[in-house]
Amino acid sequence: MSTAQETTGGEVEPWEEVTPDAARRLLVAAVEAFAERGYHATTTRDIAGRAGMSPAALYIHYKTKEELLHRISRIGHDKALDILRTAARREGTAAERLADAVGSFVRWHAGRRTTARVVQYELDALGPEARAEIVALRRQVDAEVRGIIEDGVASGEFDVLDVQGTTLAVLSLCIDVARWFNVNGPRTPEEVGALYADLVLRMVGAG
């Protein structure tokens, strides 16, 4: 399945943020190549070939291979942050919000597994400035989940001794889904999301 066809609940990932069409095709090709071969083993010729374009055409839209990775990573982290922020700010108990956050975050990592692998595991390939930007977004992701857990502890819903460590464990659990999820496996992204939401609520001692 190509990156353009990855789904969560049947929704196609259009990369609407990326224009024109040629730039979008190159970005999709880069996601597929980075996920399959790794950033360092992928050449700009590989990316252009997958997009059905010449290597020279790539440089019209992206100055470097790193710029492509940075754009992919920025869009992916913005989406991840939006998912968690939406869940964190919804009405409901801390348990309801945490279940929503984990379920949505896991569904994205399963349904967008190719994209998610690049977004989550190629951070060290970025240069210092781009890497610092993405690390700042990751801190915001962490803060959203930590905030929900802190709310649950304060309200007595959760029994958590180490909020920071638990936040790290929850995020690691969700992110790792991108490594192993198989579209031909026994569970759908929705089923995995529901399972992980239940597991995390047990982890934090929700009644």
Side-chain angles (χ1 to χ4, degrees):
M1 177 181 292
S2 74
T3 306
Q5 296 171 318
E6 287 182 338
T7 61
T8 298
E11 179 188 357
V12 174
E13 169 62 274
W15 293 97
E16 291 179 347
E17 305 90 339
V18 184
T19 56
D21 179 68
R24 185 183 304 113
R25 284 164 49 203
L26 286 163
L27 185 139
V28 169
V31 170
E32 293 172 348
F34 294 158
E36 180 182 316
R37 306 187 62 182
Y39 174 82
H40 292 294
T42 299
T43 67
T44 53
R45 184 176 294 276
D46 294 331
I47 296 167
R50 285 173 182 261
M53 300 166 68
S54 69
L58 184 148
Y59 296 109
I60 296 173
H61 303 284
Y62 303 98
K63 295 177 182 178
T64 63
K65 185 175 69 168
E66 185 193 341
E67 184 180 331
L68 262 169
L69 178 61
H70 180 212
R71 187 79 189 277
I72 293 163
S73 191
R74 178 64 200 237
I75 292 171
H77 279 88
D78 281 342
K79 178 61 177 176
L81 181 57
D82 180 63
I83 288 169
L84 293 174
R85 186 168 282 161
T86 298
R89 284 156 175 67
R90 60 163 283 192
E91 293 184 3
T93 65
E96 290 169 339
R97 289 185 288 128
L98 185 59
D100 187 15
V102 170
S104 300
F105 203 46
V106 167
R107 286 195 302 273
W108 187 79
H109 280 82
R112 307 281 192 264
R113 61 207 166 279
T114 307
T115 300
R117 283 200 301 273
V118 176
V119 167
Q120 298 293 0
Y121 299 116
E122 292 287 0
L123 176 64
D124 289 340
L126 292 171
E129 185 175 341
R131 189 179 190 280
E133 179 185 314
I134 301 304
V135 167
L137 287 171
R138 289 193 177 208
R139 290 197 184 102
Q140 292 180 60
V141 165
D142 180 276
E144 294 297 337
V145 175
R146 187 174 65 251
I148 300 173
I149 295 175
E150 288 172 344
D151 288 346
V153 172
S155 68
E157 293 178 66
F158 301 160
D159 181 14
V160 175
L161 296 178
D162 183 345
V163 171
Q164 184 173 350
T166 301
T167 300
L168 177 61
V170 169
L171 287 171
S172 297
L173 191 69
C174 296
I175 288 168
D176 197 58
V177 170
R179 284 188 184 273
W180 62 260
F181 185 80
N182 185 342
V183 68
N184 297 315
R187 298 181 190 270
T188 65
E190 291 74 19
E191 289 170 337
V192 177
L195 171 64
Y196 275 49
D198 180 67
L199 290 173
V200 167
L201 289 180
R202 294 171 186 270
M203 183 189 298
V204 299

